[in-house]
Amino acid sequence: MSIRDTDLRSILSALLRVSISVILLWYVISRVGLDTLIENFQTLEPITLVIAVGFSVLGVGLSAWKWRVLLAVKDIRLTLRTAWIYYYIGQFFNAFLPSIIGGDTARMYYLYADTNDGSASVSSVVIERIAGLYSILCIVLIAVAFGYELVPTRIADMVLIGCAVGIVTIPLLLFTDLLRPILETTIFDLQVLDIGNRAERLYTAVYEYRQAKRAVVIALLLSVVFRVLLIASNYVVALGLGIEIPLVYFFVFIPLVELFLFLPISIQGFGVRESAYLYLFTSVGVGDGVALTFGVVMQLILRVINNLIGGVVYAVHTLRS
């Protein structure tokens, strides 16, 4: 496949994601009505937004800390401040790169520019993302298992099976040799654009983390704390919108939504988050308009406001050069 074909596929993929986001947003807003959405948004006290944004900023700090722990395994030492700056610059680029994890590319680029260690830069981000996914799988599995009756049966069964498979499979693939023979006869053999050698170096760099069990466990624990902060942020906004449902619903629904957002089908989760909030929270008695407003507000906090903070950090920092 030529570089031109790859670029075309990337453009078509981005257009598809934009289309899905637009269609989903159009559907949920037309179902509720823009006037209702605006009216509900106006009832939200500014202090509620400030607290929720504060939780979000703290969450980014936790993610930066987690990244530092994983980088230390590769003998790359960053201050928490520097890691935080890299993370927010990644948040800024998330607004432009066509993926929910697109900003990771910016983080890897700046870290590589500082360290000249491409495999360590990429592998640390890969492991960090996997730790985040693994924490979601664990939380969702436990939450849905204990709150089985809170989720539609069909979704609950699919989620339980999928999470169980993921929890077992991910460590086997990453930290054992089960996958390597298959990769050696497929991806590692690719000569185009040196893909095979690059993929093998990345796999080896990731595989080396099996010797750093303490760092991986710390990363998992920090990922769990991050998810708890995310749930707390959601709960504060929900209370601000007058949503009074048991806290257990948030431990089931919010990680479930985050799991949906790992699917690369939209731009930064726009449309997916709002649709998921509308579906899940209306199933427990929350009104359509309030549920959609809830989803929109959280999307603004977790994506738009974080993108803006990242833009300010990028504008004032010397990394911009």
Side-chain angles (χ1 to χ4, degrees), residues 222-302:
L222 289 174
S223 294
V224 171
V225 176
F226 172 83
R227 303 300 164 191
V228 173
L229 275 177
L230 180 61
I231 291 169
S233 179
N234 275 268
Y235 190 62
V236 167
V237 172
L239 291 178
L241 289 170
I243 299 175
E244 297 181 356
I245 57 176
L247 182 60
V248 64
Y249 285 109
F250 293 87
F251 276 90
V252 175
F253 291 167
I254 304 307
L256 198 54
V257 172
E258 293 299 307
L259 190 58
F260 294 155
L261 293 176
F262 267 87
L263 299 174
I265 60 173
S266 64
I267 296 295
Q268 286 201 283
F270 280 98
V272 175
R273 185 188 302 277
E274 293 82 355
S275 300
Y277 275 57
L278 181 61
Y279 176 75
L280 292 171
F281 284 96
T282 54
S283 71
V284 294
V286 178
D288 286 8
V290 177
L292 178 58
T293 305
F294 185 19
V296 170
V297 171
M298 291 312 303
Q299 186 72 352
L300 289 174
I301 291 172
L302 298 173

Side-chain angles (χ1 to χ4, degrees), residues 90-220:
Q91 292 285 333
F92 171 64
F93 279 97
N94 261 336
F96 309 103
L97 299 179
S99 171
I100 194 172
I101 61 172
D104 289 344
T105 305
R107 278 198 290 147
M108 290 185 287
Y109 169 79
Y110 283 115
L111 182 62
Y112 172 70
D114 278 352
T115 64
N116 200 33
D117 191 338
S119 62
S121 302
V122 176
S123 63
S124 64
V125 172
V126 170
I127 286 292
E128 183 209 344
R129 281 294 175 180
I130 291 173
L133 173 60
Y134 202 78
S135 71
I136 293 178
L137 292 175
C138 293
I139 292 172
V140 170
L141 181 69
I142 295 171
V144 173
F146 281 94
Y148 186 82
E149 71 283 356
L150 306 180
V151 183
T153 303
R154 181 179 298 178
I155 292 180
D157 290 341
M158 290 176 58
V159 166
L160 287 175
I161 294 172
C163 288
V165 171
I167 288 171
V168 173
T169 304
I170 288 175
L172 289 177
L173 295 181
L174 289 180
F175 302 122
T176 71
D177 287 322
L178 293 177
L179 186 63
R180 190 173 187 95
I182 299 174
L183 293 175
E184 285 178 346
T185 58
T186 55
I187 297 177
F188 292 170
D189 271 345
L190 292 177
Q191 303 298 320
V192 180
L193 300 178
D194 200 29
I195 290 176
N197 289 330
R198 292 170 185 267
E200 186 171 12
R201 287 197 297 269
L202 174 59
Y203 179 84
T204 301
V206 170
Y207 189 67
E208 287 173 356
Y209 275 97
R210 76 191 188 282
Q211 304 295 341
K213 294 181 177 62
R214 181 175 179 274
V216 173
V217 169
I218 291 173
L220 284 171

